[in-house]
Protein backbone atom coordinates (compact mmCIF):
# COMPACT_ATOMS: atom_id res chain seq x y z
CA UNK A 1 0.00 0.00 0.00
CA UNK A 2 2.69 2.45 1.00
CA UNK A 3 4.52 2.04 -2.28
CA UNK A 4 1.40 2.79 -4.29
CA UNK A 5 1.05 5.99 -2.37
CA UNK A 6 4.55 7.02 -3.38
CA UNK A 7 3.86 6.62 -7.08
CA UNK A 8 1.96 9.87 -7.70
CA UNK A 9 4.47 11.67 -5.53
CA UNK A 10 7.32 10.38 -7.68
CA UNK A 11 5.42 11.50 -10.78
CA UNK A 12 5.02 15.02 -9.42
CA UNK A 13 8.65 15.27 -8.42
CA UNK A 14 9.64 13.95 -11.83
CA UNK A 15 7.51 16.56 -13.54
CA UNK A 16 8.93 19.38 -11.44
CA UNK A 17 12.42 18.19 -12.19
CA UNK A 18 11.69 18.03 -15.89
CA UNK A 19 10.32 21.56 -15.91
CA UNK A 20 13.30 22.76 -13.92
CA UNK A 21 15.78 21.36 -16.37
CA UNK A 22 13.90 22.49 -19.45
CA UNK A 23 15.95 25.48 -20.48
CA UNK A 24 14.24 28.29 -22.28
CA UNK A 25 16.48 30.36 -24.46
CA UNK A 26 16.78 33.84 -25.78
CA UNK A 27 17.27 32.48 -29.28
CA UNK A 28 13.80 30.92 -29.13
CA UNK A 29 12.61 34.49 -29.67
CA UNK A 30 14.48 35.48 -32.86
CA UNK A 31 12.31 38.56 -33.39
CA UNK A 32 13.54 40.22 -30.21
CA UNK A 33 14.54 43.80 -30.95
CA UNK A 34 16.62 46.10 -28.83
CA UNK A 35 16.81 49.78 -29.67
CA UNK A 36 15.19 49.14 -33.05
CA UNK A 37 17.49 46.33 -34.11
CA UNK A 38 17.19 42.58 -33.91
CA UNK A 39 19.76 40.92 -31.72
CA UNK A 40 22.08 39.05 -34.11
CA UNK A 41 21.86 35.25 -33.85
CA UNK A 42 25.53 34.95 -32.91
CA UNK A 43 25.03 37.35 -30.03
CA UNK A 44 21.96 35.43 -28.89
CA UNK A 45 23.89 32.18 -28.90
CA UNK A 46 26.54 33.62 -26.58
CA UNK A 47 23.94 35.20 -24.33
CA UNK A 48 22.12 31.87 -24.10
CA UNK A 49 25.28 30.10 -23.06
CA UNK A 50 26.83 32.67 -20.78
CA UNK A 51 24.22 35.14 -19.51
CA UNK A 52 20.67 33.96 -19.93
CA UNK A 53 20.73 31.38 -17.14
CA UNK A 54 20.82 34.16 -14.54
CA UNK A 55 19.09 36.89 -16.51
CA UNK A 56 15.73 35.45 -17.51
CA UNK A 57 12.23 35.85 -16.05
CA UNK A 58 12.46 32.55 -14.13
CA UNK A 59 15.99 32.98 -12.84
CA UNK A 60 16.62 32.13 -9.21
CA UNK A 61 18.50 35.30 -8.38
CA UNK A 62 16.02 38.14 -7.88
CA UNK A 63 18.88 40.59 -8.03
CA UNK A 64 20.15 39.35 -11.37
CA UNK A 65 16.77 39.30 -13.09
CA UNK A 66 15.70 42.64 -11.66
CA UNK A 67 18.84 44.23 -13.06
CA UNK A 68 18.63 42.54 -16.44
CA UNK A 69 15.97 40.29 -17.97
CA UNK A 70 16.76 39.64 -21.61
CA UNK A 71 13.19 38.62 -22.43
CA UNK A 72 11.81 41.85 -20.98
CA UNK A 73 14.15 44.11 -22.94
CA UNK A 74 11.65 44.57 -25.73
CA UNK A 75 9.01 45.82 -23.31
CA UNK A 76 11.22 48.76 -22.34
CA UNK A 77 11.19 52.13 -24.04
CA UNK A 78 13.88 52.77 -26.63
CA UNK A 79 15.86 54.97 -24.27
CA UNK A 80 15.65 52.36 -21.50
CA UNK A 81 16.86 49.77 -24.00
CA UNK A 82 19.82 51.94 -24.87
CA UNK A 83 20.56 52.34 -21.19
CA UNK A 84 20.39 48.57 -20.72
CA UNK A 85 22.84 48.15 -23.60
CA UNK A 86 25.16 50.70 -22.06
CA UNK A 87 25.04 48.81 -18.77
CA UNK A 88 25.85 45.57 -20.54
CA UNK A 89 28.78 47.25 -22.30
CA UNK A 90 29.96 48.63 -18.98
CA UNK A 91 29.94 45.34 -17.05
CA UNK A 92 31.63 43.59 -19.96
CA UNK A 93 34.39 46.15 -20.33
CA UNK A 94 35.01 45.96 -16.60
CA UNK A 95 35.10 42.16 -16.79
CA UNK A 96 32.35 41.89 -14.18
CA UNK A 97 30.02 39.43 -15.89
CA UNK A 98 29.49 36.56 -15.41
CA UNK A 99 30.23 37.31 -11.74
CA UNK A 100 33.74 36.32 -10.57
CA UNK A 101 32.36 34.37 -7.61
CA UNK A 102 30.31 32.25 -9.99
CA UNK A 103 33.30 31.62 -12.26
CA UNK A 104 35.35 30.33 -9.35
CA UNK A 105 33.03 27.33 -9.26
CA UNK A 106 32.22 27.27 -12.93
CA UNK A 107 35.23 28.46 -14.95
CA UNK A 108 33.66 27.18 -18.16
CA UNK A 109 31.08 29.96 -17.77
CA UNK A 110 33.71 32.56 -18.61
CA UNK A 111 33.40 34.40 -21.90
CA UNK A 112 36.08 33.52 -24.42
CA UNK A 113 37.92 36.45 -25.99
CA UNK A 114 35.86 36.11 -29.16
CA UNK A 115 32.59 35.97 -27.26
CA UNK A 116 33.52 38.98 -25.19
CA UNK A 117 34.49 40.92 -28.31
CA UNK A 118 31.21 39.98 -29.99
CA UNK A 119 29.05 41.06 -27.06
CA UNK A 120 31.00 44.27 -26.63
CA UNK A 121 30.69 45.14 -30.29
CA UNK A 122 26.94 44.55 -30.12
CA UNK A 123 26.39 46.50 -26.92
CA UNK A 124 28.57 49.43 -27.86
CA UNK A 125 26.42 52.34 -28.93
CA UNK A 126 27.42 54.77 -31.63
CA UNK A 127 27.36 57.58 -29.11
CA UNK A 128 30.59 56.30 -27.63
C1 LIG B 1 25.75 33.27 -12.31
C2 LIG B 1 24.76 34.25 -12.63
C3 LIG B 1 25.05 35.32 -13.64
C4 LIG B 1 25.51 35.18 -14.92
C5 LIG B 1 25.92 33.91 -15.64
C6 LIG B 1 25.52 36.50 -15.49
N1 LIG B 1 25.07 37.41 -14.59
FE1 LIG B 1 24.82 39.42 -14.86
N2 LIG B 1 24.25 39.64 -12.92
C7 LIG B 1 24.16 38.63 -12.00
C8 LIG B 1 23.82 39.20 -10.70
C9 LIG B 1 23.64 38.41 -9.42
C10 LIG B 1 23.70 40.59 -10.89
C11 LIG B 1 23.39 41.64 -9.84
C12 LIG B 1 24.72 42.12 -9.30
C13 LIG B 1 24.57 43.15 -8.25
O1 LIG B 1 23.80 44.08 -8.43
O2 LIG B 1 25.29 43.04 -7.25
C14 LIG B 1 23.96 40.83 -12.30
C15 LIG B 1 23.91 42.09 -12.89
C16 LIG B 1 24.10 42.32 -14.24
C17 LIG B 1 23.93 43.61 -14.87
C18 LIG B 1 23.48 44.89 -14.18
C19 LIG B 1 24.68 45.61 -13.63
C20 LIG B 1 24.27 46.85 -12.90
O3 LIG B 1 25.06 47.30 -12.09
O4 LIG B 1 23.19 47.37 -13.14
C21 LIG B 1 24.22 43.45 -16.18
C22 LIG B 1 24.18 44.52 -17.28
C23 LIG B 1 24.59 42.06 -16.38
N3 LIG B 1 24.50 41.41 -15.18
C24 LIG B 1 24.96 41.51 -17.59
C25 LIG B 1 25.37 40.17 -17.76
C26 LIG B 1 25.89 39.65 -19.00
C27 LIG B 1 26.08 40.45 -20.27
C28 LIG B 1 26.17 38.33 -18.77
C29 LIG B 1 26.77 37.34 -19.73
C30 LIG B 1 28.05 37.66 -20.28
C31 LIG B 1 25.80 38.04 -17.39
N4 LIG B 1 25.34 39.18 -16.81
C32 LIG B 1 25.92 36.79 -16.78
C33 LIG B 1 24.32 37.28 -12.25
C34 LIG B 1 24.77 36.74 -13.43
Amino acid sequence: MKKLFLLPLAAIIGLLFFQGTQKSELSSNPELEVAGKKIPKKVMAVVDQKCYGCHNPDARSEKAKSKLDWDALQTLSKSEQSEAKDKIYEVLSEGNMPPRKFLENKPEGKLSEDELALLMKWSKTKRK
Side-chain angles (χ1 to χ4, degrees):
M1 266 315 260
K2 259 194 184 150
K3 275 196 185 131
L4 267 180
F5 174 72
L6 285 176
L7 219 63
L9 195 70
I12 290 168
I13 291 171
L15 197 71
L16 285 177
F17 183 73
F18 177 71
Q19 282 185 334
T21 53
Q22 227 186 3
K23 202 171 149 270
S24 58
E25 292 180 323
L26 185 67
S27 48
S28 62
N29 184 5
E31 299 304 313
L32 186 66
E33 283 190 7
V34 174
K37 274 171 108 181
K38 279 188 194 169
I39 303 180
K41 278 209 179 97
K42 273 186 172 175
V43 172
M44 282 193 167
V46 176
V47 169
D48 274 340
Q49 278 181 40
K50 306 281 165 90
C51 317
Y52 193 72
C54 296
H55 294 287
N56 74 76
D58 303 318
R60 254 181 295 164
S61 164
E62 290 297 329
K63 216 173 178 184
K65 66 181 167 193
S66 69
K67 293 246 167 160
L68 174 66
D69 171 357
W70 287 94
D71 286 344
L73 278 181
Q74 63 186 344
T75 65
L76 304 177
S77 70
K78 280 228 168 99
S79 68
E80 287 170 326
Q81 290 178 348
S82 301
E83 274 171 36
K85 257 182 147 178
D86 287 349
K87 260 282 173 244
I88 291 167
Y89 184 78
E90 195 183 307
V91 296
L92 291 172
S93 50
E94 288 167 355
N96 287 339
M97 281 293 145
R100 288 200 186 94
K101 268 252 153 62
F102 165 75
L103 294 179
E104 279 170 20
N105 296 319
K106 203 171 178 287
E108 67 274 23
K110 195 175 178 345
L111 290 166
S112 72
E113 268 175 45
D114 287 351
E115 291 170 339
L116 180 63
L118 186 72
L119 291 193
M120 284 185 68
K121 191 173 165 223
W122 169 76
S123 57
K124 187 168 185 163
T125 46
K126 297 213 174 65
R127 288 179 277 133
K128 285 192 183 141

